[in-house]
Amino acid sequence: MTMALRLEPVQARAHEPTSYEEALADELEAIFGRGVHDLPGLVAALNETGVRPADGADWTEESFRAEIARLGAKEQTR
């Protein structure tokens, strides 16, 4: 008996993504699709988009790490 494997990326999601989260995810997917996989390149590419951190400033490596950590935090800590 063969079990079919399937990816369910939202299996741990506790809420529907916000429009900001969807926009950030779309931009990250596009950037990765262009072959950018290093943090400095990712930050530079994000700064070329209209998606900004909450304070509206340019992305930095520090602000990107902080935002990804915030978005990945358990629902109770949001």
Side-chain angles (χ1 to χ4, degrees), residues 31-32 35-45 61 64:
I31 292 165
F32 289 138
V36 177
H37 300 285
D38 62 294
L39 185 56
L42 182 65
V43 168
E61 291 181 23
F64 179 78

Side-chain angles (χ1 to χ4, degrees), residues 3-75:
M3 181 198 275
L5 299 177
R6 59 193 168 106
L7 179 62
E8 293 186 43
V10 296
Q11 63 192 6
R13 186 172 68 197
H15 67 89
E16 289 299 313
T18 65
S19 58
Y20 163 74
E21 291 168 340
E22 288 180 347
L24 180 59
D26 288 346
E27 291 297 345
L28 290 173
E29 184 176 349
I31 292 165
F32 289 138
R34 294 194 308 262
V36 177
H37 300 285
D38 62 294
L39 185 56
L42 182 65
V43 168
L46 270 175
N47 282 325
E48 295 173 1
T49 73
V51 179
R52 291 281 182 252
D55 64 3
D58 282 347
W59 289 101
T60 64
E61 291 181 23
E62 182 178 304
S63 67
F64 179 78
R65 284 187 187 111
E67 184 63 349
I68 293 303
R70 184 188 74 78
L71 291 172
K74 290 186 183 269
E75 184 67 24

